[in-house]
Amino acid sequence: MEDYLIKSIVNDGMFRAYVVNGTNIVREAQKRHDTWSAATAALGRSLVGTLMLSSSLLKGKEKLTVKINGGGPVGGIVIDGNANGTVKGYLQHPHVSLPLNAKHHIDVGKAVGNQGTLSVTKDMGLKDPFTGNVGLASGEIGDDFTYYLAQSEQIPSSVGVSVFVNPDETVAVAGGFMIQVMPGASDEAIDRLQTTLNNLPLVSDLLRQGKTPEAILEMLFANDKVKILDKLPVSFKCDCSKERFAAAMTSLPQSEIAAMIAEDHGAEVTCRFCGNQYHYSETELKAIQLKARG
């Protein structure tokens, strides 16, 4: 099944709802970073959550960066997202596997930890980006995005994200939903939604059953008026390039570039987001050195 995100409005504006199948995104991230089960689930949930957050808050060329660090064994998680449905991300320690939790699920909360923060930096094309920080609610990622939306964006929400990892470390499915409560939502509609959420299986279980994002949306709002606004293809995409890294290297101290030329006769740079490697010859480094001198 292809990866895509559904944007919808419910009951003439009582709720905004997003549902995404991000299976191939998380598969790509797992392969690029060689993550083990607990790290895969943590990174995958963060990618899916950022994808929905970006789709709900951004437009045009705007972009955002989500950083999560709860003090757990996976370390810091960094995800970049934009309004066009692409994300990229990495975590500090990819080789983390833990015993299952009491519910027999991957223990993402323990992998991430909850003694830290979730921060969202939005680049709206203005002079200074805006950053909102909240303490982590649980480290389970969905709860943390929910808390961020309520505290920093003042939008009461419910976020569910889940990843099913196979015994061989590959990703079976990954996806999520984000529901935002709009001003004017009736108490009856909110209570009905809460009851539905309390009984809803994990999105990963629904995807494994072959449910589409549209079918999951129907399950969330079975007796409500749902209008689908957009069906957006989504993907893991990194915009790194040899030229971009070369431009960044011009800001290095002259002594560092000189050492690369004299001692290593070249340099190799690895992108943290996607793992792509770029080699620079001695001649290319000398050209970078000249540009750095202005």
Side-chain angles (χ1 to χ4, degrees):
M1 186 188 295
E2 62 175 330
D3 282 8
Y4 64 93
L5 180 146
I6 291 289
K7 301 181 183 181
S8 68
I9 194 161
V10 182
N11 290 345
D12 297 319
M14 283 191 186
F15 305 101
R16 283 199 302 238
Y18 306 79
V19 184
V20 63
N21 179 350
T23 299
N24 293 315
I25 287 174
V26 182
R27 282 176 179 165
E28 182 75 11
Q30 190 279 325
K31 284 189 288 187
R32 285 183 176 271
H33 297 297
D34 186 34
T35 50
W36 295 355
S37 59
T40 299
L43 180 60
R45 289 186 186 186
S46 302
L47 285 162
V48 170
T50 301
L51 192 60
M52 295 187 291
L53 192 70
S54 301
S55 296
S56 71
L57 298 180
L58 305 180
K59 57 183 184 294
K61 294 183 178 180
E62 296 171 351
K63 52 191 177 182
L64 60 75
T65 298
V66 172
K67 294 183 179 179
I68 302 168
N69 196 333
V74 300
I77 303 171
V78 180
I79 314 288
D80 280 357
N82 56 45
N84 303 316
T86 67
V87 285
K88 61 180 181 177
Y90 67 90
L91 39 60
Q92 278 182 290
H93 305 299
H95 294 163
V96 178
S97 240
L98 297 172
L100 299 180
N101 62 20
K103 295 181 179 179
H104 303 289
H105 296 146
I106 293 173
D107 201 340
V108 175
K110 188 171 183 179
V112 173
N114 58 17
Q115 302 301 309
T117 60
L118 181 151
S119 71
V120 178
T121 300
K122 287 182 282 188
D123 182 353
M124 308 297 215
L126 305 173
K127 185 177 180 182
D128 296 314
F130 168 79
T131 299
N133 287 285
V134 296
L136 290 176
S138 68
E140 291 283 346
I141 307 299
D143 296 340
D144 305 304
F145 275 101
T146 298
Y147 189 60
Y148 168 80
L149 281 162
Q151 294 296 312
S152 199
E153 302 290 342
Q154 307 300 306
I155 305 173
S157 306
S158 179
V159 181
V161 287
S162 55
V163 177
F164 190 93
V165 182
N166 293 316
D168 65 356
E169 304 292 356
T170 60
V171 175
V173 293
F177 65 82
M178 175 184 290
I179 301 166
Q180 298 177 343
V181 182
M182 296 293 100
S186 69
D187 291 341
E188 180 189 2
I190 293 171
D191 289 344
R192 189 163 64 242
L193 173 62
Q194 190 59 58
T195 300
T196 299
L197 292 174
N198 289 342
N199 294 290
L200 189 76
L202 292 173
V203 173
S204 56
D205 290 342
L206 297 174
L207 291 171
R208 290 175 72 211
Q209 294 169 18
K211 300 279 195 239
T212 62
E214 291 90 342
I216 295 171
L217 186 64
E218 172 65 26
M219 292 177 70
L220 286 164
F221 297 102
N223 299 308
D224 297 284
K225 180 182 175 183
V226 178
K227 180 181 180 182
I228 293 177
L229 303 175
D230 195 13
K231 178 180 177 179
L232 180 69
V234 295
S235 61
F236 184 104
K237 184 179 180 181
C238 188
D239 53 359
C240 70
S241 67
K242 188 170 183 178
E243 293 73 25
R244 287 190 69 171
F245 277 115
M249 288 167 71
T250 61
S251 65
L252 292 174
Q254 283 286 319
S255 58
E256 282 192 35
I257 302 175
M260 292 179 198
I261 295 168
E263 298 169 18
D264 303 322
H265 308 290
E268 190 165 89
V269 178
T270 301
C271 176
R272 296 197 73 178
F273 282 99
C274 69
N276 285 347
Q277 294 183 328
Y278 301 98
H279 179 74
Y280 298 86
S281 67
E282 193 170 344
T283 302
E284 288 169 324
L285 287 177
K286 287 177 179 177
I288 291 170
Q289 189 177 44
L290 280 173
K291 190 173 288 188
R293 287 171 180 163

